Amino acid sequence: MPYNAAPDRYQKLDYARVGRSGLKLPRVSLGLWNNFGSDRALETQRAIIRRAFDLGVTHIDIANNYGPPNGSAEKNFGTILREDLRPYRDELIVSSKAGYDMWEGPYGEWGSRKYLLSSLDQSLARTGLEYFDIFYSHRPDPETPIEETMGALASAVHSGKALYVGVSNYSPEQTRAAAAALAEHKVPLLIHQPRYNMFDRHIEDGLFPVLDELGIGSIVFSPLAQGLLTNRYLNGIPADSRVAEGRWMNENTIDETYLSRARALNEIADARGQSLAQLALLWVLRVPEVTSALIGASSVAQLENNLAALSGPALTADELAAIEPFAVHGTGSTR
């Protein structure tokens, strides 16, 4: 059946301004990292993306290497865009990234101008888009001058292949240098995409003041610590879980230290009438510099449960104080 978006889709979510830019993002965005490759049914992916848009999620985040295999998430999204979402292109924010290994040889990863702009063209071809709303340097390159990497991002804007640019996994110092390098080309650094959750708090050590000072927004990935901040592992390891799969985590992650903290956090969530995942999302969104939280979803039900976090009340000072002893950096071992 032809897809017609829900007419009340903009009454479901709040939108926040990205730093000091003119762009707004939904408070929760959809990432296509781990559930949108060729190993997952396209119709399931289609159902998740349609439902997300119906609920007001206007931002879809991809990267060149998302799959598996690499590139397949962009191809699958391109199919869904062509068949379902093309009439709504101007209502969507679609981002992609380049930085990790994509093809053989010395030009297939990191941050050279050669790699970034070649990858950008490949990503546009896979998705069928004429431009990305946001194009990121996915990780800093220790050997390429940051001026070259940022010059490539500026070229993406000046050529019309990207409207905005961002960085991901950059330190506070690298973020400041990236913004300065882009400014030489009259291109602002719009957004930073760091990992952030109750069990990984490394960006609290210096990044937020830099973002605030420079007027840069942020969208945090892994806000649920790849499922550790859900009830998925509180009573054992499901056979279809990421821990059982062993790709990013293994059974050693689910130790007594983790379980004691996750169960305590789950009790706080229960007292609020929420799931642990919903509590975890509200916790990252408490920070003024966090524009949006980036979630994945393996089903429509999971997507809906996570988005329901936004209908709950803000965390109180007492609740934040109760969370603090259990939101310990380094809990678990996740990417």
Side-chain angles (χ1 to χ4, degrees):
M1 294 292 293
Y3 170 66
N4 294 300
D8 62 346
R9 58 191 176 276
Y10 293 114
Q11 300 171 24
K12 305 294 183 67
L13 294 184
D14 290 330
Y15 300 82
R17 190 169 301 279
V18 187
R20 290 197 290 269
S21 77
L23 186 67
K24 292 183 178 181
L25 293 181
R27 294 292 275 155
V28 172
S29 301
L30 180 63
L32 306 190
W33 172 39
N34 214 40
N35 295 300
F36 292 83
S38 296
D39 59 336
R40 304 297 174 102
L42 182 63
E43 288 310 305
T44 300
Q45 299 178 38
R46 186 193 308 276
I48 293 168
I49 290 173
R50 282 182 170 190
R51 184 60 176 151
F53 189 57
D54 282 344
L55 291 173
V57 177
T58 54
H59 178 31
I60 306 293
D61 180 79
I62 331 175
N64 58 356
N65 65 327
Y66 287 178
N70 289 355
S72 60
E74 288 183 327
K75 287 182 180 178
N76 289 337
F77 174 74
T79 298
I80 295 166
L81 175 72
R82 183 178 67 253
E83 296 178 357
D84 296 327
L85 294 174
R86 179 62 69 179
Y88 306 99
R89 173 64 184 98
D90 291 338
E91 298 182 39
L92 291 168
I93 301 296
V94 183
S95 60
S96 193
K97 303 179 283 291
Y100 286 94
D101 184 38
M102 271 300 289
W103 61 85
E104 294 183 0
Y107 318 121
E109 64 177 325
W110 294 109
S112 72
R113 180 179 181 86
K114 167 73 172 174
Y115 166 68
L116 287 174
L117 295 181
S118 296
S119 184
L120 172 58
D121 285 341
Q122 292 179 23
S123 292
L124 289 171
R126 281 190 289 266
T127 58
L129 290 165
E130 296 179 356
Y131 65 90
F132 285 112
D133 298 275
I134 307 170
F135 184 59
Y136 287 89
S137 167
H138 205 167
R139 60 173 172 170
D141 184 339
E143 297 183 350
T144 298
I146 203 164
E147 291 80 7
E148 177 176 341
T149 301
M150 295 304 112
L153 293 187
S155 291
V157 173
H158 292 152
S159 67
K161 295 178 181 179
L163 302 185
Y164 302 93
V165 292
V167 297
S168 182
N169 299 302
Y170 278 52
S171 70
E173 296 75 20
Q174 291 165 332
T175 302
R176 189 180 293 279
L182 281 167
E184 293 295 315
H185 299 274
K186 310 294 186 188
V187 173
L189 178 55
L190 174 82
I191 194 166
H192 192 302
Q193 186 176 135
R195 184 177 58 248
Y196 184 48
N197 58 65
M198 289 180 180
F199 293 159
D200 187 340
R201 304 178 64 167
H202 77 282
I203 65 170
E204 293 178 357
D205 187 19
L207 182 61
F208 289 137
V210 171
L211 299 180
D212 185 57
E213 175 191 342
L214 300 180
I216 300 167
S218 71
I219 179 168
V220 298
F221 70 88
S222 291
L224 307 183
Q226 295 197 57
L228 295 181
L229 286 164
T230 72
N231 62 7
R232 192 151 174 75
Y233 300 108
L234 299 185
N235 299 296
I237 300 174
D240 62 345
S241 66
R242 292 189 186 182
V243 168
E245 180 185 2
R247 184 181 177 196
W248 304 111
M249 301 179 284
N250 59 52
E251 61 184 14
N252 295 327
T253 306
I254 312 302
D255 58 16
E256 285 305 315
T257 299
Y258 157 72
L259 287 170
S260 65
R261 291 169 181 167
R263 286 168 177 160
L265 291 168
N266 192 54
E267 289 181 3
I268 296 171
D270 279 343
R272 288 174 50 85
Q274 291 185 309
S275 68
L276 176 53
Q278 291 168 348
L279 178 74
L281 285 170
L282 284 181
W283 186 86
V284 298
L285 291 171
R286 84 198 189 285
V287 180
E289 291 79 14
V290 174
T291 311
S292 184
L294 190 59
I295 62 168
S298 59
S299 67
V300 169
Q302 185 183 70
L303 170 78
E304 291 174 341
N305 178 268
N306 289 340
L307 289 176
L310 300 178
S311 62
L315 293 166
T316 67
D318 287 344
E319 287 170 332
L320 289 170
I323 287 168
E324 193 66 20
F326 309 109
V328 180
H329 178 72
T331 301
S333 178
T334 63
R335 176 180 179 270

